[in-house]
Amino acid sequence: MPTAPAPPTLEESAAYITQLGKPTAAEVLARARTSGRTALQPRCGVGGHREMAVLLKELETEGRPDLLTLTIDSHTRLRRFEHAARALRTDHRTLNGYPLVTHGWQRGRELNELVAVPLEIRHGSPDPRELFATAVACGITSFEGGGISYNLPYSKDVPLADSLAAWTEVDQLCGELAHLGVVMDRELFGTLTAVLIPPSISLAISVLEAVAAAAAGVRCISVSYPQSGHLAQDIAALRAVPVLAARYLPAGLDVHAVLHEFMGVFPRRRHHADDLIFYGAITARLGGASKLITKTYQEAHGIPDAAANAAGLRLAAVARSPLLDFITVDEGAVAEELEWILRETAEIVEPVLAAPRLDSAIVTAFAAGRLDIPFSASRHARSEVIPRRDRDGAVRYHSPGRLPLSRASTERNRRLLDGPARPGAGTTELPGSELFQALRRDIDYFPLLFGELPQDAAAPGGSAADSATSTPGKEPAL
């Protein structure tokens, strides 16, 4: 067999990116923020190379996205490259994403050169060093994840110290690329487990990862946030991103807010799903997001096909129309949410940032529960935080666990959860079985809102229970 060509050096990859003749992800995001026109990006990833090429081309032609995605398969995420190679030899359809390391950097360049928009790698790996090196060799200019957000929601027993160290190496290479004239967009996965995530937890984890990334040399950081479904709360969370960047990050960084359209249980009927997709796009617009990760009307039925993905992009694009400039939000409600989101985030992150070494402080804080993630798959997070929806559908702390929230913050959450306006919503004192059923209703919020489920029903078919008790972080990377 012929010997595979040696991978390019970092300098050669930087030169290739410069000569490629397409914008980088950082340039697309900067233009989106300047113009006020949110960039759109779908999720997509299949195992076969030819099939991946067809999918990317169809999405670019039919959906006109601003960025495209290579979602990576689970074997590659866990560095089981021999398993990915075996699947390619037998049946690539068994893979749940594109095994970039196994296909190799030359095939990756083929995909990159096939489309005019930049590509981003979405994956879920606690140790992405080989994947990142391959992505750079392909000329890909956006790479998602972090040592916390791509470990605790996905992996059962990867020590935080190990994932933080691996991601530091990735971020240091981003710094080297910046010195070579190529700015890599590093998107932080604030979505976490995607199930009832209080905004201050999402933003706190992203702040910690952003501080670490900036110290390692990263120059462009995208802070992603998962749509909760409450307009004022979601807009406030997006508007919090530049405030937090100014407060905790060094000057000169390019920082962007990114909204993931709702990643929980989706309505099954197309017109309801389309309503939710458009609602998410309006939220991104009003929140000033640089980018929106879109959804499709097939979310409740399995992996969306290319046609549904393109339809989701076209629908989201309608929300960018200048004809919709009349749409406004209750700015008073947003301001109140923003004030408390910033306060809670500060209460969570500032004790950690005050420590002499950030990486060891993060590990210690998670072990003690002073940092935590609801419904985590990992034994390295206590998962003692219990979120709930209040009477208006906003996500609050039913129990903050051991998070160092002030008395004022905890009392506000408790007050907003009292006096439910809908059955089982927002009550702070519930026995275990009732709390579980209430959480199921909160997770099934949109199917219930649209009348696809009776108001007194828990999620059928295990949809909510699966989201709440298995590995809720697995699907959101797609």
Side-chain angles (χ1 to χ4, degrees):
M1 294 181 62
T3 303
T9 65
L10 202 65
E11 291 78 9
E12 290 169 340
S13 295
Y16 169 72
I17 293 169
T18 302
Q19 298 164 8
L20 193 55
K22 64 193 294 184
T24 65
E27 290 168 340
V28 168
L29 293 170
R31 286 202 299 264
R33 183 175 55 199
T34 300
S35 67
R37 186 174 184 269
T38 305
L40 302 180
Q41 178 182 346
R43 297 171 176 83
C44 63
V46 294
H49 179 68
R50 184 181 67 83
E51 291 76 11
M52 188 74 239
V54 170
L55 177 57
L56 289 173
K57 196 61 183 176
E58 183 174 350
L59 285 175
E60 182 176 52
T61 302
E62 300 298 327
R64 302 183 65 83
D66 300 283
L67 302 97
L68 281 164
T69 301
L70 286 184
T71 298
I72 305 303
D73 68 292
S74 295
H75 292 311
T76 301
R77 297 175 196 173
L78 299 176
R79 303 175 69 232
R80 299 189 304 217
F81 305 121
E82 70 285 354
H83 290 75
R86 188 180 307 119
L88 284 181
R89 289 193 300 268
T90 55
D91 185 356
H92 65 79
R93 293 172 297 180
T94 62
L95 293 167
N96 64 345
Y98 186 80
L100 178 62
V101 174
T102 305
H103 278 301
W105 63 273
Q106 289 180 303
R107 281 189 160 187
R109 284 191 177 186
E110 289 177 10
L111 296 178
N112 202 5
E113 294 171 7
L114 182 67
V115 293
V117 300
L119 300 179
E120 179 180 41
I121 299 294
R122 314 187 80 89
H123 49 108
S125 176
D127 183 352
R129 288 173 291 179
E130 293 93 340
L131 177 60
F132 180 77
T134 307
V136 172
C138 300
I140 293 170
T141 55
S142 184
F143 198 77
E144 185 187 43
I148 305 170
S149 61
Y150 262 9
N151 178 351
L152 301 185
Y154 286 85
S155 302
K156 181 178 180 179
D157 195 16
V158 176
L160 265 169
D162 293 351
S163 59
L164 290 168
W167 278 93
T168 295
E169 291 187 30
V170 166
D171 289 336
Q172 288 170 340
L173 288 174
C174 290
E176 293 181 35
L177 281 168
H179 285 299
L180 294 170
V182 173
V183 175
M184 176 74 68
D185 169 51
R186 280 282 291 106
E187 184 174 324
L188 309 178
F189 192 63
T191 302
L192 303 176
T193 51
V195 180
L196 299 179
I197 298 297
S200 55
I201 285 183
S202 171
L203 293 169
I205 299 303
S206 289
V207 165
L208 296 173
E209 290 187 337
V211 169
V218 172
R219 306 310 302 162
C220 179
I221 294 174
S222 294
V223 176
S224 69
Y225 165 79
Q227 180 188 4
S228 74
H230 183 274
L231 187 65
Q233 186 178 59
D234 289 338
I235 290 171
L238 292 171
R239 294 182 185 178
V241 170
V243 180
L244 293 168
R247 182 179 295 178
Y248 298 114
L249 299 178
L253 263 69
D254 204 9
V255 180
H256 299 277
V258 174
L259 180 67
H260 283 257
E261 288 199 307
F262 187 68
M263 297 176 72
V265 180
F266 234 71
R268 299 185 65 83
R269 297 171 187 166
R270 176 169 181 174
H271 60 291
H272 294 153
D274 284 344
D275 287 351
L276 183 51
I277 291 166
F278 187 72
Y279 182 50
I282 289 292
T283 302
R285 173 181 177 143
L286 294 173
S290 296
K291 185 174 74 171
L292 176 69
I293 310 297
T294 59
K295 280 287 192 173
T296 80
Y297 63 84
Q298 293 179 343
E299 297 298 325
H301 303 280
I303 298 175
D305 59 28
N309 235 328
L313 284 163
R314 293 193 299 269
L315 177 57
V318 175
R320 304 187 298 192
S321 170
L323 297 177
L324 301 181
D325 286 346
F326 68 90
I327 297 179
T328 59
V329 65
D330 182 342
E331 291 292 345
V334 172
E336 181 181 354
E337 289 291 337
L338 177 59
E339 176 186 354
W340 284 96
I341 287 171
L342 293 171
R343 178 171 182 165
E344 291 177 0
T345 303
E347 291 168 355
I348 295 170
V349 302
E350 289 183 358
V352 183
L353 293 174
R357 284 193 53 182
L358 181 58
D359 55 352
S360 59
I362 289 171
V363 174
T364 300
F366 269 107
R370 296 190 302 274
L371 290 174
D372 206 357
I373 295 175
F375 315 121
S376 172
S378 173
R379 63 182 60 183
H380 299 286
R382 289 181 174 270
S383 293
E384 292 174 344
V385 172
I386 301 175
R388 289 290 322 280
R389 290 190 184 273
D390 70 12
R391 68 196 70 178
D392 297 318
V395 178
R396 309 294 181 194
Y397 291 96
H398 174 88
S399 170
R402 305 184 196 199
L403 295 178
L405 296 181
S406 66
R407 181 175 179 179
S409 293
T410 55
E411 286 183 350
R412 176 177 182 266
N413 278 270
R414 177 172 290 272
R415 183 175 69 253
L416 291 171
L417 286 172
D418 283 337
R422 56 189 176 87
T427 50
T428 55
E429 301 297 335
L430 290 173
S433 60
E434 290 185 30
L435 175 60
F436 180 74
Q437 296 301 324
L439 284 169
R440 290 172 68 118
R441 286 190 292 270
D442 284 347
I443 291 168
D444 276 335
Y445 179 69
F446 281 106
L448 285 166
L449 183 70
F450 286 116
E452 294 186 4
L453 296 173
Q455 288 294 323
D456 59 349
S463 62
D466 290 345
S467 297
T469 61
S470 59
T471 311
K474 185 172 182 181
E475 286 306 312
L478 298 180

